């Protein structure tokens, strides 16, 4: 243990944090499968390896690390794994941006190699940031979804669900991004506001209003509301589609809004989800006018080959020239866009692979999970109940888990690999046996790949030991921490898959955190230039200050604003703690032998307050209320320990008094417990202090199980602290220095209080406690005049009036006469014109009196 004079005056954040990060061993955080301890497995989010571990990631991982460290201290066998969700659009788009290419510009395997190389480099960068933030990750359970040992499990899960009938292939309308050239799920569609043009035109005698004239070639019907008198008798008639000429029926449907546009709707395949509904409901024709690249097909006749946006302008121009276009008006609408590249999506009818969505099963499993905050369950429930289509899981991309199927070229039979042959790439590998149906030996491998959520949605199965078959040995996980922005994707899909594959819910609890907002109050984004990187914060104030910001910034589930002032305040708190610790160590270094008993009132009171703080922090950590836990610790350290206890006992600590040992014992216990309370939140600082205090690592200690009950110490200590504060305020109000002598102070309390002289030393006074009642004698001591009455009423006689009043005997000051003589003239005494000043004496000595509830304090004027 280092003596205090060897502790640096200033806490060197960079040096301390780097030193402990280099000293800590990864092995100390490994999950032990053979341990008898209760397990606590965390299904941590696998981020996309973009190379930037942004501040939102940092917040989420701070929460996870608080939990992991706390649970280890509570005796749990904790698994805090780290995964990397590598596949899918984010990585492909980044490669395309980095190299200025598209996926079709290089051979398929070359593109995959470029994606893998970029991903591995980004993982290294993000690992470094995570270590710099002090996360106690179990690196022995790291997983990378693009590696064969992981994605073979994804393929195994696909085959199991396919054989069970939960996965199927079918042609169906899907959301399609023509920029990324792939289908996407509903959960990946983001809706943004847009101002567009509503175009009114003549449709064979019926006025139609549309925002998508380029879909005129895909028109298959005109719909009206059955109660709309404007279109009475139109049902069943056939109308010629302008420009293109093909005939379409007029249908009636109650879903038509008569108040929108002209009340007559052009149904196209497909402009939006409503078109899909009507197409299914009325068994309409399918006309594909836009292809996967967003280009008009042969169905569009003279517009074939045009991009859809160019086709829109051309048709509007032709409508205007033909006298069909009647008028146009602006319209505000919400447009579905690709979650990754922001391109407006199209709804195309494509042959795709789907996962069946069984809402009741998913909700049943979700209800078996404890949701924190509880209201986040409603978000998942609302999403599940709004699902109209099954989950489209096939993607027309390259860098993703291959769909492990082939088709026989001779008979079209679906060929599946054996489980022991996984993983396979059907574009490279071939079946090991001929077609079981026709004996053919030529096959075409499926080129589509799986949605990346098919990888990450088995994370709970993977971390609990799933081998691709049966129930994992450690299933379910104890906790899923994640952001509320991916409830409808990661949470929903994981519950769906766990229920389908092992028939159960994937975790006992789910903890949902909010998003990080910039200091301008908006969600962080490059376009707003309000992004802050964790490295920026750590470089200036250290990892522990950033972690404090995460703990104290908001309640779980709420969005949190990043504010530099909060980080600065966190850093200042560490400075305050360091100064406290240096002060305490300076006194503990002089103590030899084993700590003695805590005997004195103020010391016992400190331990009572410490016990309260442990109880509050423990309850908060159990409920994942990190802001509440940090607030309790901060208030104790700053207010109770520093401002109250140390200021009151400082004199005793410097005195050669037998009661000093009691204070040192209380301080040693307090610093030990305080370091443990702080360990999950600011691990570097807690480690530095605890090592200096004990020579041991705080991260190998248990959570403080400290309880100290002493009702008398609580009552008397609270009174002592309040009394000292009031007497300091008394000094301040009179312009006295806080260390100025105060003289003789008597404190009359209902109970006898033995403060070991702490009050007197803290106040620089001869302070004594008594249970008696002070024998106070009132003495007249001057007059207070009310000039607001005297001035207007007496004017020139005011001075003489005041001199006459001051000459009155004490009994007349207390009971004023009705008249008084001023300059030989008897004048009335105005009501409320003066009040006597009263002083108090005790045994002939003048004293000041303070009243604190049922406690009376007298302060003598002589020392």
């Amino acid at each position: 243990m280092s003596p205090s004079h060897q502790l640096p005056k200033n806490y060197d954040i960079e040096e301390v944090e780097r030193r402990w990060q280099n000293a800590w061993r990864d092995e100390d955080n490994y999950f032990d499968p053979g341990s008898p301890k209760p397990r606590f497995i965390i299904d941590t989010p696998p981020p996309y390896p973009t190379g930037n571990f942004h501040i939102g990631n940092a917040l989420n991982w701070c929460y996870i690390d608080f939990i992991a460290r706390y649970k280890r201290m509570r005796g749990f066998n904790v698994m805090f794994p780290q995964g990397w969700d590598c596949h899918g659009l984010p990585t492909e788009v980044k490669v395309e941006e980095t190299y200025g290419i598209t996926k079709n510009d290089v051979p398929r395997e070359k593109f995959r190699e470029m994606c893998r190389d970029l991903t591995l480099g980004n993982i290294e960068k993000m690992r470094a940031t995570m270590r710099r933030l002090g996360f106690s990750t179990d690196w022995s359970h790291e997983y990378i979804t693009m590696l064969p040992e992981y994605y073979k499990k994804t393929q195994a899960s696909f085959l199991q669900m396919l054989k069970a009938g939960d996965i199927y292939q079918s042609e169906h309308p899907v959301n399609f991004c023509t920029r990324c050239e792939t289908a996407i799920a509903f959960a990946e569609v983001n809706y943004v506001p847009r101002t567009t043009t509503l175009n009114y035109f003549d449709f064979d005698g019926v006025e139609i209003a549309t925002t998508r004239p380029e879909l005129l070639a895909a028109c298959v019907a005109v719909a009206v509301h059955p109660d709309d008198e404007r279109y009475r008798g139109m049902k069943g008639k056939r109308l010629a589609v302008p420009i293109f000429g093909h005939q379409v029926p007029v249908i009636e449907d109650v879903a038509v809004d008569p108040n929108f546009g002209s009340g007559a709707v052009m149904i196209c395949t497909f402009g939006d989800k409503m078109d899909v509904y009507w197409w299914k409901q009325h068994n309409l024709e399918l006309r594909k006018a836009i292809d996967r690249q967003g280009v008009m097909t042969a169905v569009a006749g003279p517009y074939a080959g045009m991009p859809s946006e160019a086709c829109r302008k051309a048709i509007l121009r032709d409508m205007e020239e033909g006298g069909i276009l009647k008028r146009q008006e602006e319209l505000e609408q919400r447009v579905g866009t690709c979650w990754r590249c922001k391109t407006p999506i199209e709804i195309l009818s494509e042959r795709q692979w789907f996962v069946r969505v069984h809402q009741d099963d998913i909700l049943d499993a979700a209800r078996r999970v404890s949701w924190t905050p509880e209201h986040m369950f409603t978000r998942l429930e609302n999403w599940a109940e709004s699902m109209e289509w099954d989950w489209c899981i096939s993607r027309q991309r390259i860098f993703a888990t291959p769909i492990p199927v082939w088709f026989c070229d001779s008979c079209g039979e679906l060929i599946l690999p054996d489980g022991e042959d996984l993983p396979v790439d059907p574009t490279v590998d071939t079946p090991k046996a001929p077609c079981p149906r026709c004996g053919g030996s030529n096959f075409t491998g499926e080129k589509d790949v799986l949605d990346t959520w098919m990888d990450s949605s088995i994370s709970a199965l993977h971390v609990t030991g799933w081998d691709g078959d049966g129930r994992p040995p450690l299933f379910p996980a104890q906790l899923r921490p994640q952001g509320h922005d991916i409830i409808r994707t990661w949470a929903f899909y994981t519950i769906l898959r766990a229920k389908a594959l092992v028939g159960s819910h994937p975790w006992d609890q789910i903890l949902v955190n909010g998003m990080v907002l910039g200091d301008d109050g908006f969600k962080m984004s490059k376009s707003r230039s309000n992004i802050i990187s964790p490295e920026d914060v750590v470089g200036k104030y250290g990892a522990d200050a950033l972690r404090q910001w995460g703990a104290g910034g908001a309640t779980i589930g709420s969005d949190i604003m990043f504010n530099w002032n909060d980080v600065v305040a966190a850093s200042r708190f560490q400075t305050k703690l360091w100064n406290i610790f240096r002060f305490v160590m300076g006194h503990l270094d002089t103590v030899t032998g084993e700590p003695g008993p805590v005997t004195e009132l103020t010391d016992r009171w400190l331990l009572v307050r410490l016990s309260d703080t442990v109880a509050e922090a423990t309850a908060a950590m159990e409920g994942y209320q990190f802001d509440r836990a940090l607030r309790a610790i901060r208030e104790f350290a700053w207010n109770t320990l520093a401002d109250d206890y140390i200021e009151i006992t400082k004199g005793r600590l410097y005195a050669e008094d037998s009661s000093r040992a009691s204070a040192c014992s209380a301080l040693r216990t307090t610093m030990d417990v305080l370091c443990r309370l702080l360990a999950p939140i600011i691990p570097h600082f807690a480690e530095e202090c605890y090592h200096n205090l004990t020579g041991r690592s705080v991260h190998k200690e248990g959570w403080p199980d400290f309880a100290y009950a002493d009702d008398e110490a609580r009552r008397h200590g609270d009174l002592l602290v309040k009394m000292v504060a009031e007497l300091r305020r008394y000094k301040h109000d009179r312009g006295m220095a806080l260390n100025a002598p105060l003289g003789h102070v008597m404190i009359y309390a209902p109970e006898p209080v033995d403060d070991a002289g702490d009050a007197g030393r803290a106040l620089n006074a001869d302070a004594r406690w008594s249970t008696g009642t002070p024998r106070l004698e009132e003495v007249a001591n001057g007059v207070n005049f009310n000039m607001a009455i005297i001035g207007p009423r007496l004017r020139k006689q005011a001075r003489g009036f005041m001199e006459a009043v001051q000459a009155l005997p004490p009994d007349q000051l207390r009971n004023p006469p009705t008249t008084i003589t001023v300059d030989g003239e008897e004048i009335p005494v105005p009501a409320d014109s003066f009040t006597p000043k009263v002083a108090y004496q005790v045994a002939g000595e003048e004293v000041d009196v303070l009243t604190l509830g049922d406690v009376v304090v007298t302060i003598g004027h002589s020392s």
Side-chain angles (χ1 to χ4, degrees):
M1 183 174 69
S2 302
S4 64
H5 64 266
Q6 293 183 2
L7 293 178
K9 181 177 181 180
N10 297 317
Y11 180 75
D12 188 336
I13 297 170
E14 173 72 15
E15 188 277 327
V16 170
E17 292 187 353
R18 289 292 189 186
R19 172 159 44 84
W20 285 117
Q21 287 167 15
N22 291 332
W24 289 332
R25 296 172 356 116
D26 287 346
E27 293 85 344
D28 293 335
N29 301 321
Y30 286 177
F31 176 81
D32 180 2
S35 172
K37 295 179 180 179
R39 65 176 181 263
F40 194 87
I41 298 175
I42 306 172
D43 181 19
T44 49
Y48 289 116
T50 60
N52 300 313
F53 195 81
H54 58 73
I55 203 81
N57 294 134
L59 175 69
N60 200 4
W61 264 258
C62 280
Y63 288 165
I64 300 169
D65 195 54
F66 299 158
I67 296 166
R69 290 182 181 276
Y70 170 72
K71 289 294 184 179
R72 289 192 196 102
M73 295 180 80
R74 292 305 299 256
F76 285 85
N77 181 25
V78 174
M79 184 194 296
F80 175 8
Q82 180 56 53
W84 305 100
D85 190 11
C86 310
H87 285 143
L89 280 176
T91 303
E92 291 199 26
V93 170
K94 192 66 178 178
V95 167
E96 289 175 329
E97 290 175 352
T98 301
Y99 295 99
I101 60 171
T102 71
K103 65 185 176 102
N104 300 317
D105 293 340
V106 294
R108 184 182 182 93
E109 188 50 43
K110 177 62 178 177
F111 188 76
R112 290 176 64 87
E113 180 186 342
M114 295 166 76
C115 290
R116 284 192 294 267
D117 290 346
L118 177 72
T119 299
L120 291 174
N122 287 339
I123 287 174
E124 284 303 315
K125 294 175 188 176
M126 295 176 75
R127 278 197 196 113
T129 300
M130 297 172 81
R131 289 184 179 277
R132 182 64 187 90
L133 291 172
F135 299 142
S136 57
T137 305
D138 178 358
W139 293 106
S140 70
H141 281 83
E142 183 181 27
Y143 62 90
I144 300 174
T145 62
M146 69 179 181
L147 297 184
E149 54 264 33
Y150 186 95
Y151 78 75
K152 75 177 182 180
K153 296 183 181 182
T154 303
Q155 291 187 332
S157 71
F158 173 91
L159 293 176
Q160 181 177 330
M161 292 179 68
L162 178 66
K163 292 171 184 176
D166 287 322
I167 289 179
Y168 64 95
Q169 190 182 37
S170 173
E171 176 154 343
H172 189 277
V174 292
N175 297 307
F176 205 93
C177 175
T178 56
R179 155 61 182 84
C180 299
E181 297 182 30
T182 184
I184 60 175
F186 266 117
E188 297 167 316
V189 178
N190 291 333
Y191 290 89
V192 297
R194 184 181 73 172
T195 300
T196 188
T197 302
L198 184 61
N199 306 282
Y200 290 81
F201 67 101
D202 178 53
F203 194 113
D204 199 7
V206 175
E207 186 176 68
I208 295 285
T210 183
T211 60
R212 300 289 306 273
E214 69 275 19
L215 288 177
L216 200 57
C219 180
V220 292
V222 170
V224 297
H225 193 281
D227 297 332
D228 194 332
E229 292 294 335
R230 293 172 295 179
Y231 303 108
R232 181 69 63 197
M234 290 284 293
K235 180 181 178 183
K237 287 189 175 182
R238 298 186 71 81
L239 303 177
V241 177
I243 298 178
F244 296 95
H246 62 279
Q247 300 278 317
V248 298
V250 177
I251 64 172
E252 291 182 343
D253 197 290
V254 294
V256 175
D257 180 4
N259 297 316
F260 178 78
S262 65
V265 180
M266 179 176 75
I267 300 175
C268 303
T269 53
F270 297 96
D272 56 24
K273 285 172 60 178
M274 203 65 228
D275 281 345
V276 178
Y277 168 79
W278 282 322
W279 173 72
K280 284 184 175 180
Q281 192 78 5
H282 298 279
N283 194 27
L284 299 173
E285 181 187 1
L286 176 65
R287 293 176 66 89
K288 299 182 181 181
I290 299 178
D291 69 11
R292 291 183 172 193
Q293 287 76 40
V295 172
M296 306 309 295
T297 68
V299 170
Y303 308 100
M306 286 186 179
S308 60
E309 190 66 30
C311 177
R312 175 185 303 186
K313 295 176 182 177
I315 287 183
L316 285 174
R317 184 176 60 249
D318 291 346
M319 280 183 171
E320 190 169 18
E321 291 176 356
I324 301 174
L325 187 64
K326 301 300 184 184
R327 66 187 188 280
Q328 295 175 302
E329 59 187 41
E330 284 192 349
L331 177 69
E332 299 296 325
Q333 63 176 187
R334 292 179 61 78
V335 177
T337 63
C338 173
W339 70 288
R340 196 66 199 172
C341 71
K342 315 308 179 192
T343 301
I345 59 141
E346 297 288 354
I347 298 179
L348 306 182
S349 182
E350 298 285 339
R351 192 158 190 82
Q352 302 284 348
W353 292 91
F354 297 89
V355 166
R356 297 188 192 278
V357 175
H358 304 291
Q359 283 102 330
D360 291 344
D361 287 347
I362 294 168
L363 289 174
D364 175 68
R367 290 188 183 99
R368 299 175 187 274
V369 176
S370 173
W371 290 73
T372 303
E374 289 183 6
H375 69 267
M376 291 296 175
F377 169 74
T378 304
R379 295 197 184 187
L380 181 124
E381 184 178 39
N382 291 341
W383 176 250
E385 291 177 346
S386 70
M387 293 287 287
E388 298 175 8
W389 301 351
D390 287 334
W391 172 21
C392 177
I393 59 169
S394 48
R395 298 291 181 267
Q396 291 68 55
R397 298 297 300 189
I398 295 175
F399 185 56
T401 296
I403 295 177
V405 301
W406 297 269
F407 298 93
C408 175
D409 291 346
S410 299
C411 68
E413 179 74 4
L414 180 69
I415 310 297
L416 305 178
D418 292 331
E420 58 268 22
D421 294 331
L422 299 179
V424 298
D425 182 349
T427 66
V428 177
D429 305 320
T430 56
K432 292 187 174 180
C435 174
R437 181 177 176 186
C438 71
S441 58
N442 294 320
F443 307 93
T444 298
E446 174 63 81
K447 291 184 178 180
D448 283 0
V449 292
L450 288 172
D451 178 5
T452 189
W453 293 111
M454 285 289 284
D455 290 332
S456 58
S457 61
I458 61 165
S459 60
L461 294 166
H462 174 78
V463 299
T464 54
W466 194 56
D467 62 3
D469 184 36
R471 187 182 179 93
L474 303 177
F475 190 84
Q478 278 59 62
L479 181 68
R480 153 67 67 84
Q482 66 163 73
H484 64 61
D485 59 322
I486 50 175
I487 287 176
R488 66 182 192 174
T489 48
W490 196 35
F492 180 82
Y493 293 147
T494 304
I495 295 170
L496 181 159
R497 301 262 274 145
K499 185 71 174 177
L501 292 166
V502 298
S504 182
H505 56 287
W507 346 272
D508 297 329
Q509 305 174 68
I510 182 170
L511 179 67
V512 183
N513 64 274
M515 298 293 99
V516 178
L517 309 178
D519 54 11
D520 57 359
F522 291 93
K523 183 178 178 181
M524 286 191 175
S525 67
K526 292 179 181 178
S527 62
R528 300 194 70 91
S529 300
N530 64 352
I531 290 178
I532 303 293
S533 75
E535 290 85 356
D536 291 339
V537 181
V538 172
K540 293 179 180 178
Y541 298 103
D544 283 346
L546 176 62
R547 293 168 66 102
Q548 271 196 76
W549 161 78
T555 56
I556 288 291
S558 300
D559 290 342
I560 174 174
M561 182 181 294
F562 180 83
N563 191 313
W564 280 106
N565 290 336
D566 295 335
V567 180
V568 172
S571 180
R572 287 176 178 167
F573 175 61
Q574 287 173 208
T575 299
K576 179 73 172 181
L577 280 173
W578 183 249
N579 291 336
I580 294 170
F581 183 71
R582 288 185 69 253
F583 173 83
V584 170
M585 290 301 296
H587 292 283
L588 296 186
D589 284 349
T590 64
V591 178
T592 58
E594 291 297 315
V598 175
T599 57
E600 305 305 332
L601 168 62
T602 320
D603 309 329
R604 289 156 46 217
W605 173 82
L606 176 67
L607 297 188
V608 167
R609 291 300 184 194
L610 179 64
S611 178
D612 292 344
T613 303
V614 170
E616 174 73 0
T618 303
M621 293 298 287
E622 286 292 326
Y624 308 125
Q625 297 171 300
F626 310 120
D627 58 326
R628 174 184 160 198
L630 181 60
R631 184 164 57 249
I633 296 167
R634 278 180 170 175
E635 288 176 355
F636 173 81
W638 201 301
N639 300 332
T640 302
L641 177 59
D643 292 350
D644 294 333
Y645 176 80
I646 288 178
E647 289 302 319
I648 290 174
T649 58
K650 189 183 293 182
R652 177 153 51 97
L653 285 167
Y654 284 112
E656 292 297 329
D657 191 297
S658 59
S659 63
R660 180 179 181 276
S662 171
C664 289
S665 290
L667 283 172
R668 181 180 294 277
T669 298
T670 299
M671 295 314 299
D672 183 297
V673 170
L674 192 56
C675 286
R676 298 194 208 193
L677 292 176
L678 289 167
I681 297 174
I682 49 174
H684 311 88
F685 184 92
E687 185 81 317
E688 181 74 359
C689 293
Y690 199 77
H691 181 75
N692 278 287
L693 180 69
T694 68
R696 303 190 302 273
S697 169
V698 71
H699 302 299
K700 294 184 178 180
E701 302 291 342
W703 182 256
D705 182 18
F706 179 80
Y708 190 90
D710 189 329
D711 289 342
E712 180 186 83
R714 183 186 296 276
R715 293 194 313 276
H716 292 181
D718 286 350
L719 175 59
L720 170 62
V721 169
K722 184 177 180 181
M723 187 274 300
V724 169
E726 286 295 327
L727 286 168
R728 283 179 171 159
R729 186 177 297 110
Y730 169 88
K731 281 187 171 183
H732 177 270
D733 291 346
R734 283 155 182 76
M736 301 171 64
L738 291 182
N739 61 353
L742 191 56
H744 181 61
V745 176
M746 285 295 299
I747 308 154
Y748 298 89
E751 296 180 85
V753 175
D754 179 6
D755 71 356
D758 283 343
R761 283 185 286 262
L763 296 166
N764 194 8
D766 174 21
R768 301 180 187 180
W769 294 79
S770 173
T771 55
T773 302
R775 296 180 179 179
L776 296 174
E777 179 184 353
E778 288 189 4
V779 178
N781 187 25
V783 183
N784 288 320
F785 291 102
N786 188 345
M787 297 308 297
I789 293 176
I790 295 172
R793 293 281 295 276
L794 301 181
R795 299 183 182 279
K796 293 181 179 180
Q797 293 178 308
R799 181 182 294 277
F801 172 78
M802 290 189 289
E803 291 173 352
V805 169
Q806 288 172 331
L808 291 173
D811 61 324
Q812 289 192 13
L813 287 174
R814 287 192 291 271
N815 300 291
T818 57
T819 62
I820 195 168
T821 303
V822 176
D823 297 332
E825 178 185 353
E826 194 80 8
I827 66 172
V829 175
D832 300 323
S833 58
F834 68 89
T835 55
K837 291 181 182 178
V838 178
Y840 294 95
Q841 291 183 351
V842 174
E845 178 190 0
E846 186 173 327
V847 297
D848 286 342
V849 178
L850 300 178
T851 302
L852 309 174
D854 54 1
V855 176
V856 176
V857 180
T858 63
I859 305 148
H861 288 182
S862 59
S863 59

